[in-house]
């Protein structure tokens, strides 16, 4: 089967073209390994990077810049995709990553009479870029037109079903982990890699670091906990956003942005991992990638009692805390510091999720 896969280039603070990272690389690449011919087009909303075609073992990746004028940039992108479809003649379009790619994918699918799968890995209308007048109605129309809609979480599935009434079938395809997270690691070697001190305990998280992701609440909670546990350290890794201030203290380590291959080492080195999710239009429907990554590394976790985390940890209420509630987060972290409770959760790999995705597209094509 020939598949045209549409996505934006930058997401989760990563560059898909350079990093070959996450859902929008792993699924297309593994579909290719299953025998499909996949052409991945990643739309770069910035205008300061090289564009062109990248050929690798798994698939062809094209990167096209939006340019300084978004209106003409999206129109040019649409025209280029029309030309590509004329040459490539795909059997299926998969549109993913935000409202704009799904809208473009739907228009192309209708124009060329090609089935389309819309892949939703977030509540896209929570993004600021989706607040442009007219985008909401075009997005809703695109979802109704889609032959199938795949979603990242149960909570998002219920939201899409209730609000948009898609004609195509809804499928759950959660996030997953790469094989880098699966081998057991020597914990002491992982701790040595980050220069963690013997006899000290380390809690932390990795990912986008911003106030609207609950990191202020984690920092404030740590500042209270360290009064009781002077051996405790807070470790933060990822890109800082907005006005987030990380206190300059010996007990707080900011590692900056780590390579993806370093994240398993970090999660193997920590004593407790913290998954912060806010109770907002984004947090209620997301699936935090770091949760599966932490669990795969055997790291004891605590998480915000919001959306998908509430469902996944429904039988572990002691591990949940109210978002931005310092006292409640303290309680959950103290429990894990004392009990070090790992979760017996089976963590899916991208190979497993791609097999599920493959069955979905086969259903769509064979309708």
């Amino acid at each position: 089967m020939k598949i045209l896969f549409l996505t934006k280039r930058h997401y989760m603070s990563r560059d898909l073209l350079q990093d070959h990272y996450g859902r929008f690389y792993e699924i297309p690449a593994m579909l290719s390994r299953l025998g499909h011919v996949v052409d991945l087009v990643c739309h770069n909303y910035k205008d300061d990077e090289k564009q062109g075609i990248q050929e690798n073992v798994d698939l062809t990746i094209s990167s096209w810049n939006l340019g300084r004028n978004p209106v003409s940039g999206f129109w040019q992108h649409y025209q280029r995709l029309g030309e590509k479809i004329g040459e490539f003649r795909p059997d299926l379009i998969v549109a993913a990553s935000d409202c704009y790619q799904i809208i473009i994918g739907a228009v192309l699918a209708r124009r060329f009479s090609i089935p389309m799968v819309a892949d939703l890995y977030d509540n896209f209308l929570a993004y600021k870029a989706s607040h442009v007048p007219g985008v909401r109605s075009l997005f809703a129309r695109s979802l109704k037109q889609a032959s199938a809609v795949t979603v990242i979480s149960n909570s998002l599935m219920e939201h899409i079903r209730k609000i948009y009434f898609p004609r195509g079938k809804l499928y759950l395809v959660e996030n997953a982990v790469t094989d880098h997270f699966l081998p057991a690691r020597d914990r002491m070697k992982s701790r040595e890699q980050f220069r963690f001190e013997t006899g000290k305990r380390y809690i932390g998280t990795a990912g986008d670091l911003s106030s609207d992701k609950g990191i202020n609440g984690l920092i404030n909670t740590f500042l209270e906990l360290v009064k009781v546990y002077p051996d405790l350290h807070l470790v933060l890794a990822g890109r800082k956003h907005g006005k987030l201030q990380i206190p300059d203290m010996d007990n707080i380590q900011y590692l900056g942005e780590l390579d993806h291959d370093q994240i398993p080492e970090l999660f193997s080195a920590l004593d407790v991992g913290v998954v912060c999710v806010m109770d907002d239009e984004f947090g209620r429907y997301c699936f935090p990638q770091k949760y599966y990554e932490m669990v795969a590394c055997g790291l004891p976790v605590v998480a915000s009692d919001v959306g998908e985390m509430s469902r996944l940890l429904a039988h572990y209420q002691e591990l949940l805390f109210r978002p931005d509630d310092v006292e409640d987060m303290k309680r959950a972290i103290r429990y894990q510091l004392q009990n070090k409770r790992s979760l017996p959760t089976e963590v899916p790999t991208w190979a497993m999720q791609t097999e599920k995705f493959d069955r979905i597209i086969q259903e769509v094509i064979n309708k």
Side-chain angles (χ1 to χ4, degrees), residues 129-281:
S130 301
H131 297 169
V132 175
V135 167
R136 182 181 294 270
S137 60
L138 288 172
F139 178 65
R141 188 185 308 169
S142 300
L143 289 187
K144 286 184 179 180
Q145 176 196 325
S147 302
V149 179
T150 55
V151 296
I152 202 169
S153 69
N154 284 278
S155 53
L156 183 56
M157 178 179 284
E158 290 306 312
H159 177 70
I160 296 299
R161 181 180 287 120
K162 180 179 178 181
I163 301 298
Y164 297 103
F165 307 104
R167 297 190 187 100
K169 191 173 178 181
L170 278 166
Y171 299 88
L172 177 68
V173 182
E174 296 174 323
N175 266 345
V177 299
T178 65
D179 292 342
H180 294 296
F181 287 87
L182 299 182
R185 284 172 168 74
D186 185 315
R187 187 165 181 270
M188 293 310 298
K189 287 184 178 179
S190 295
R191 290 172 69 89
E192 288 171 7
Q193 179 176 328
F194 294 100
R195 299 181 180 177
F196 288 0
E197 298 177 49
T198 303
K200 306 292 185 181
R201 291 183 289 182
Y202 294 80
I203 67 173
T205 194
D208 283 344
L209 305 177
S210 64
S211 301
D212 59 4
K213 294 291 180 70
I215 302 302
N216 274 341
L218 173 57
I219 292 172
N220 292 334
T221 299
F222 171 77
L223 294 177
E224 292 296 315
L225 280 169
V226 79
K227 296 175 183 176
V228 181
Y229 302 105
D231 66 324
L232 194 63
H233 287 241
L234 174 65
V235 181
L236 300 172
R239 181 180 297 179
K240 288 194 294 182
H241 292 271
K243 299 179 181 179
L244 180 72
Q245 297 292 322
I246 299 177
D248 185 11
M249 295 174 55
D250 291 339
N251 289 54
I252 297 180
Q253 294 174 240
Y254 173 53
L255 303 178
E257 292 185 70
L258 300 179
D259 290 338
H260 189 55
D261 290 350
Q262 292 179 281
I263 301 298
E265 297 292 347
L266 174 61
F267 288 163
S268 297
L270 294 174
D271 293 283
V272 179
V274 185
V275 180
C276 296
V277 182
M278 298 301 286
D279 188 11
D280 55 24
E281 284 299 305

